[in-house]
Amino acid sequence: MKLATPTGRETAIGAVVGVVTLALPLVFPTEDHFPWDGIPGFYAIYGAVGCAALVVVSKWVGRVLLVKPPDWWGEESDTDEDPA
Amino acid sequence: MSVLVPPGLLLVVGAALLAVLPRAARAAVSVLLPLLVVAYSATFLPDGTTVSYPFMQFSLELVRADRLSLLFGGIFCVTGALAALYASHEGDVRQQVAAMLYTAGAVGVSFAGDLLTLCFFWELLAIAGTVLVWSGGTRAATRAGKRYVLLHLAGGGLLLAGIALQVAHTGSIRFDAFDPAAPTLAAWLILAGFCLNAGVPPLHAWIPDAYPRATIAGSVFLAAMTTKSAVYALLRGFAGWDVLVTFGVVMALYGVFFAVLASDLRVLLSYHIISQVGYMVVGAGIGTALAVDASAAHAVNHLIYKGLLFMCAGAVIATTGRGSLADLGGLRSRQPLLLGLYMIGALSISGAPLWNGFVSKGMLLKSAGDLHRDWTVLLLGLASVGTFISVGLKLPYFVWFHGKSGIEPKPVPPPMLAAMVCAAFLCTLLGLFPGLLYPFLPHPTDYDPFTTTHVIEIVQLFVFSGFAFYILLPNLSAARKTLADVDFFYRAPARLVRKLFVGRVDAAFGTVQTVADRITDRLANALRDPTAWFAEGRRRGEDYDPDRSRPPLLSPLVVTIATFVGIAVALLAWQG
């Protein structure tokens, strides 16, 4: 698993944006509809974990099962005689 | 009997007209006729209008205009006009006729009041869609088109079987809602036919197989009509069928899962059709007034932003000649306007506040939340994250930012640009003023998407998924690849079957032919001159010797006598 290394400036911008985003519910009161609405920053956690899960799981399933070489079906070239 | 002409047939007549018009007129007619049909429907077909004709013992209801059909019929025409504007500089007559027929199919389905009319326009969609795929012109397009038409004819067969059963049971061909409490076999068959066109896995593989093979403009049309007319049919016939909620959630996640892997622009966007249609199918499954509204509104919004995304992808392909993320990159400074237009589409599809996807997705989540379907809400939220990272971040990153590919793109043709600007304008307009769409929705609503709770939730979701995306970016690959999908299960056996029943039979016939030829050859050589059997013959390499090489006198005598004896024996045997 390779991870990006953000530069100092990127980290600073990210931290500011992240903190502001997390602080929004403190400034603007929100309502609770769902059981998870009581957890502070639930959507932030869900977004980050969900994104990580999608990338990691799809990459793994892709490597094991789904990703095949280009032109796996042998249909892309127009000059070939029909193989199948 | 009414003299009103069904809007679908107007477009069919338009398609016939296109075939004979000169090039300049064709472009104008393809854009203006669908818009005229919208005006015509709005003026002459108010809510509650029906146009029916007797047919055998049935009554064919070619037009049943109500709020749902007018909304879908109208938006199909608008999308058709936008796509035609986008395609107008190409002037390929076959494609223009097919596209008009394809739009006619979707509009006809929207207004069909009975199942036979529905089925007719359903098949028109399948056939015109196939021609659009074939317009791609490559061998891959030809073969994908063959698979496309076979699958859709099979789906049409399911539909027709269901209709036949339905007519046998009820004696009526009216297309009304099927009762979720008492599902019949007929209803299940019709549902299966609808699900194939909606792209419900495992009946979805034709979407990423065929759509990316069409021409640039062809895929803009294809992305619009078939799946959304199936959504219309589901809303009309199967609202409240709980199984659709499961189907829809599976679609929403399945699509983004593959989109995260995809590296071809249009394959990626095709998988997102499945994902987005999943939201609409969930709405149909929930079936409350708000959910049906949400589903219909999402269909309208989706038609505009998905059209915009396919147009932008097409513009990238048209200006650079490349359609794979592997070959693109660094176009930010070359195509800033295109990037801006694309991002409007991407933010709309992701459901970012201020754009139209935000409104209809919020409406849908509220309708699910009202019924305490917590898992549905959570899983659709995950699908939104996947949409945002794949369409909103991955694709633009690899096309416009990543590296410097040194590509010199051609300028975007003005008609394409005009169509994209119109679509982007509509995305923004309906995002800022969702109230403009509400009067046209099936049920009156005053849903307000801009609650602080909703906005903050989405902002947190997207900002932090963006962070996670940034950290994990090195794991995403833009390399060219084929994604094996469930089409494997019919494409791989097809090869085997072809090998067995065509290859093997061919080989067997070939062998028989060779053997027969050889035997004939030998016999012909041997029987050419029977006298030679008695010649001593000249061995290879020997000099010519008249005494040895000439046949002796005896041999013709023996042959003649043997022949007569043979004939005599044969005659005797025959007589006796």
Side-chain angles (χ1 to χ4, degrees):
Chain A
M1 187 62 46
K2 288 165 286 184
L3 297 178
T5 45
T7 60
R9 190 158 149 264
E10 284 167 346
T11 317
I13 295 173
V16 170
V17 171
V19 168
V20 168
T21 313
L22 286 174
L24 282 175
L26 305 176
V27 184
F28 305 97
T30 56
E31 304 158 27
D32 289 1
H33 296 293
F34 297 104
W36 55 81
D37 282 342
I39 306 169
F42 172 81
Y43 281 90
I45 301 166
Y46 191 55
V49 172
C51 170
L54 271 174
V55 171
V56 172
V57 173
S58 72
K59 189 178 166 65
W60 181 74
V61 179
R63 200 179 57 218
V64 175
L65 193 64
L66 302 177
V67 173
K68 307 290 175 196
D71 202 15
W72 189 46
W73 292 109
E75 291 185 352
E76 301 302 331
S77 117
D78 280 333
T79 48
D80 273 5
E81 193 51 35
D82 195 348
Chain B
M1 192 189 281
S2 166
V3 290
L4 288 172
V5 185
L9 287 187
L10 274 180
L11 291 168
V12 172
V13 172
L17 198 63
L18 279 183
V20 293
L21 283 176
R23 183 180 165 137
R26 281 204 304 273
V29 169
S30 335
V31 178
L32 292 178
L33 184 65
L35 295 178
L36 281 176
V37 170
V38 175
Y40 164 81
S41 313
T43 319
F44 294 102
L45 306 172
D47 187 6
T49 314
T50 55
V51 178
S52 42
Y53 295 90
F55 172 70
M56 298 197 290
Q57 73 269 41
F58 305 115
S59 162
L60 278 189
E61 210 171 328
L62 295 186
V63 173
R64 177 176 54 191
D66 58 17
R67 300 175 67 86
L68 191 63
S69 50
L70 283 166
L71 177 69
F72 272 86
I75 191 64
F76 285 137
C77 285
V78 171
T79 318
L82 274 179
L85 174 62
Y86 182 81
S88 56
H89 67 290
E90 281 185 13
D92 172 6
V93 64
R94 185 174 79 157
Q95 185 173 309
Q96 283 171 321
V97 171
M100 185 64 89
L101 281 176
Y102 189 56
T103 313
V107 173
V109 164
S110 311
F111 283 103
D114 69 88
L115 292 164
L116 288 183
T117 309
L118 178 88
C119 198
F120 171 79
F121 284 109
W122 203 261
E123 300 293 356
L124 184 60
L125 270 174
I127 294 163
T130 308
V131 178
L132 281 178
V133 177
W134 279 338
S135 295
T138 58
R139 196 169 68 103
T142 310
R143 297 175 63 87
K146 284 180 192 163
R147 289 190 290 272
Y148 181 92
V149 75
L150 285 175
L151 275 173
H152 280 276
L153 291 182
L158 287 173
L159 180 63
L160 198 57
I163 293 171
L165 269 180
Q166 173 78 4
V167 173
H169 282 306
T170 65
S172 156
I173 57 168
R174 270 186 67 83
F175 178 30
D176 286 324
F178 293 93
D179 183 4
T184 58
L185 178 62
W188 282 116
L189 284 171
I190 293 174
L191 180 63
F194 288 173
C195 282
L196 188 135
N197 269 26
V200 177
L203 305 174
H204 68 284
W206 53 273
I207 296 177
D209 182 20
Y211 288 5
R213 313 282 187 209
T215 57
I216 287 165
S219 60
V220 178
F221 281 100
L222 287 166
M225 307 296 175
T226 301
T227 46
K228 261 62 72 185
S229 58
V231 167
Y232 161 80
L234 287 174
L235 283 174
R236 162 84 63 203
F238 294 91
W241 282 57
D242 208 51
V243 65
L244 290 179
V245 178
T246 314
F247 285 176
V249 170
V250 168
M251 290 170 79
L253 288 171
Y254 195 96
V256 293
F257 186 82
F258 275 79
V260 172
L261 289 171
S263 60
D264 181 285
L265 290 181
R266 291 191 288 173
V267 170
L268 195 159
L269 292 178
S270 296
Y271 274 113
H272 268 292
I273 295 177
I274 301 171
S275 173
Q276 293 300 306
V277 170
Y279 284 82
M280 301 167 214
V281 173
V282 168
I286 294 174
T288 58
L290 185 63
V292 169
D293 267 1
S295 190
H298 201 54
V300 170
N301 291 336
H302 172 86
L303 279 165
I304 304 168
Y305 62 64
K306 185 54 93 180
L308 174 58
L309 290 171
F310 263 94
M311 288 182 200
C312 291
V316 170
I317 298 170
T319 53
T320 65
R322 303 153 195 231
S324 171
L325 296 179
D327 309 328
L328 290 158
L331 289 170
R332 176 183 31 176
S333 55
R334 309 257 180 228
Q335 300 182 317
L337 179 59
L338 195 54
L339 170 62
L341 291 168
Y342 175 85
M343 284 316 293
I344 289 178
L347 290 169
S348 302
I349 193 177
S350 306
L354 307 184
W355 283 282
N356 60 2
F358 176 73
V359 179
S360 41
K361 278 189 185 179
M363 207 188 279
L364 182 69
L365 292 181
K366 180 166 189 318
S367 73
D370 287 348
L371 297 177
H372 303 290
R373 290 177 173 274
D374 294 349
W375 278 106
T376 308
V377 174
L378 269 186
L379 292 174
L380 289 182
L382 183 61
S384 274
V385 169
T387 308
F388 178 59
I389 61 169
S390 51
V391 182
L393 298 176
K394 176 186 165 180
L395 194 153
Y397 171 73
F398 281 112
V399 173
W400 283 285
F401 293 93
H402 173 70
K404 278 184 188 162
S405 60
I407 305 166
E408 281 295 333
K410 288 181 283 189
V412 182
M416 286 175 130
L417 201 58
M420 288 187 280
V421 169
C422 284
F425 172 74
L426 285 174
C427 283
T428 316
L429 186 72
L430 292 179
L432 292 175
F433 308 103
L436 291 175
L437 181 64
Y438 291 170
F440 302 102
L441 293 181
H443 307 282
T445 181
D446 56 355
Y447 170 75
D448 174 19
F450 299 110
T451 61
T452 43
T453 312
H454 187 204
V455 173
I456 290 175
E457 284 168 5
I458 295 293
V459 168
Q460 289 192 345
L461 195 71
F462 284 0
V463 166
F464 278 82
S465 58
F467 288 167
F469 174 83
Y470 180 89
I471 300 290
L472 291 167
L473 191 55
N475 295 290
L476 287 174
S477 140
R480 288 167 182 283
K481 58 176 85 83
T482 306
L483 284 177
D485 201 336
V486 294
D487 57 346
F488 175 82
F489 293 106
Y490 53 83
R491 291 173 77 171
R495 286 187 162 180
L496 195 71
V497 167
R498 197 185 157 91
K499 203 170 167 187
L500 267 177
F501 290 94
V502 181
R504 288 290 157 80
V505 172
D506 249 12
F509 270 96
T511 314
V512 169
Q513 180 88 49
T514 319
V515 171
D517 277 357
R518 204 168 292 161
I519 292 172
T520 321
D521 208 39
R522 293 263 168 85
L523 279 176
N525 270 337
L527 296 176
R528 189 171 48 199
D529 179 12
T531 58
W533 301 343
F534 303 95
E536 282 178 43
R538 174 163 57 110
R539 289 198 185 79
R540 195 184 288 265
E542 270 183 343
D543 287 336
Y544 178 73
D545 176 357
D547 290 335
R548 294 187 58 190
S549 300
R550 270 187 307 208
L553 187 59
L554 184 64
S555 57
L557 276 175
V558 171
V559 171
T560 315
I561 291 166
T563 309
F564 276 105
V565 169
I567 290 170
V569 169
L571 277 174
L572 284 173
W574 179 53
Q575 291 289 337

